[in-house]
Amino acid sequence: MTTQTITATESGTWTLGDLTINRIGFGAMRLTQHGEALAADAVPSDRQRAIGVLRRAVELGVNHIDTAAFYFSPLRSANELINRALAPYPDDLVITTKVGPGRDPAGHWASHARTPAQLRGQVEENLRQLGRDHLDVVNLRVLGTDSIAERFGALADLRAAGLIRHLGVSNIHPEQLAEARAIAPVVCVQNPYGIGMRADQGEFVRTCGEQGIAFVPFYAIAGTGRQVGVVNTEAAEVLEVARAHGVSAAQVRIAWTLHQGPHVLAIPGTGNPDHLVANVAAGALRLTEADLAVLGDLHRREA
């Protein structure tokens, strides 16, 4: 499979509210460091290389970037890198961020923001770092199954005030999505999902599509390795499909998620320019029914 001339337009499009994006996007979590993401002692990435990756992503048609103010390593901030690389921002570029989790200046995790004042502070921090007057999409990232009404309502108020254009939710359960939708429109759900990871999410993925809500998997390549990255030997079934198409296992994993519905987006992240090109090219990979059957069996068996 040729990768050099394939752009994100090959993946098709989806609409977040009134914002049309290509289904292959870019996740900024891995941009700021080498090795494990979100580690307080991470080795910072090369600044110019990271800026080059962002600019190359846009050249390849990526117009959806996922980020957060808590994506940083010593010396590097994902939001600041995005600002430096891409401002003034292209008119069609959609930047999605998330609030809830927080880290102190040394990089250690702090308690989740729960009050309206704390959430507003996180929204304003994203605005400052990105150099914007409003945020395109803000996801409320949550832990647990308790009510999100107060927190989501606080973000809905900021949306009404013009600081946020659209709202999403992340790491949530179906009941929490219903709770959020009763307060304000939800344009996306961002949950962990991929081959062999969270097969129980299948019905939820389909429900989001029926409601016109984008489903945005994270850790679709890393799987249970999460922010550490891929840690296990790749499954034989994935390697078999990859060989048949002349692609990498990572490209098969990205393509599989996109095949789960036209509303499913991909936000693979990397600080490697070659991996970026390959990730974008995965949006053009068309898996056969036989491929999907093999990978589906693996997914249900390993999840």
Side-chain angles (χ1 to χ4, degrees):
M1 177 179 171
T2 302
T3 62
Q4 293 301 318
T5 59
I6 297 175
T7 70
T9 59
E10 296 292 328
S11 63
T13 62
W14 185 258
T15 302
L16 297 174
D18 60 348
L19 303 171
T20 300
I21 58 172
N22 293 321
R23 293 176 65 211
I24 282 278
F26 178 83
M29 185 183 73
R30 301 205 160 279
L31 197 61
T32 69
Q33 73 288 306
H34 299 290
E36 181 179 352
L38 309 179
D41 59 350
V43 177
S45 60
D46 180 85
R47 178 176 171 79
Q48 291 307 313
R49 189 186 199 209
I51 288 172
V53 166
L54 286 164
R55 290 175 175 168
R56 181 60 173 148
V58 171
E59 289 174 359
L60 290 170
V62 169
N63 57 6
H64 176 214
I65 295 177
D66 177 81
T67 186
F70 59 86
Y71 287 176
F72 65 86
S73 68
L75 308 182
R76 301 286 177 266
S77 155
N79 282 352
E80 187 276 331
L81 290 169
I82 292 167
N83 188 342
R84 177 66 182 85
L86 302 178
Y89 298 108
D91 291 341
D92 68 338
L93 180 64
V94 174
I95 299 177
T96 297
T97 189
K98 59 194 71 68
V99 296
R103 299 166 71 198
D104 67 25
H108 300 110
W109 288 106
S111 299
H112 269 228
R114 299 189 68 88
T115 69
Q118 290 171 330
L119 290 165
R120 183 182 182 109
Q122 289 190 346
V123 166
E124 290 177 345
E125 182 63 16
N126 277 281
L127 288 167
R128 282 190 293 270
Q129 292 176 358
L130 291 167
R132 307 199 74 174
D133 295 323
H134 76 276
L135 299 173
D136 296 322
V137 182
V138 174
N139 285 313
L140 175 65
R141 173 72 65 85
V142 301
L143 289 175
T145 60
D146 58 327
S147 171
I148 64 171
E150 182 181 7
R151 285 168 284 170
F152 195 77
L155 295 183
D157 289 342
L158 296 179
R159 175 176 175 264
L163 296 184
I164 300 171
R165 191 163 182 170
H166 297 295
L167 296 173
V169 284
S170 177
N171 206 39
I172 56 108
H173 297 265
E175 298 78 12
Q176 292 169 318
L177 174 59
E179 188 177 30
R181 293 183 72 218
I183 297 169
V186 175
V187 300
C188 56
V189 167
Q190 193 179 94
N191 274 13
Y193 187 65
I195 296 174
M197 186 182 192
R198 295 299 306 273
D200 62 317
Q201 292 273 286
E203 183 178 350
F204 193 22
V205 173
R206 291 187 291 274
T207 298
C208 287
E210 292 167 358
Q211 296 174 347
I213 298 170
F215 189 91
V216 190
F218 59 90
Y219 300 141
I221 297 176
T224 56
R226 305 175 75 84
Q227 64 260 31
V228 175
V230 178
V231 295
N232 299 319
T233 302
E234 187 57 84
E237 292 89 339
V238 175
L239 293 174
E240 178 185 349
V241 173
R243 282 192 296 269
H245 290 273
V247 299
S248 69
Q251 287 175 303
V252 170
R253 288 183 171 272
I254 294 169
W256 181 85
T257 62
L258 293 175
H259 279 71
Q260 303 312 299
H263 66 295
V264 180
L265 311 181
I267 49 169
T270 183
N272 183 310
D274 293 331
H275 291 172
L276 168 69
V277 173
N279 289 346
V280 171
L285 176 57
R286 303 295 182 255
L287 300 176
T288 67
E289 291 299 322
D291 295 333
L292 293 172
V294 168
L295 297 173
D297 287 343
L298 171 66
H299 175 57
R300 291 182 290 272
R301 187 169 69 250
E302 291 199 350

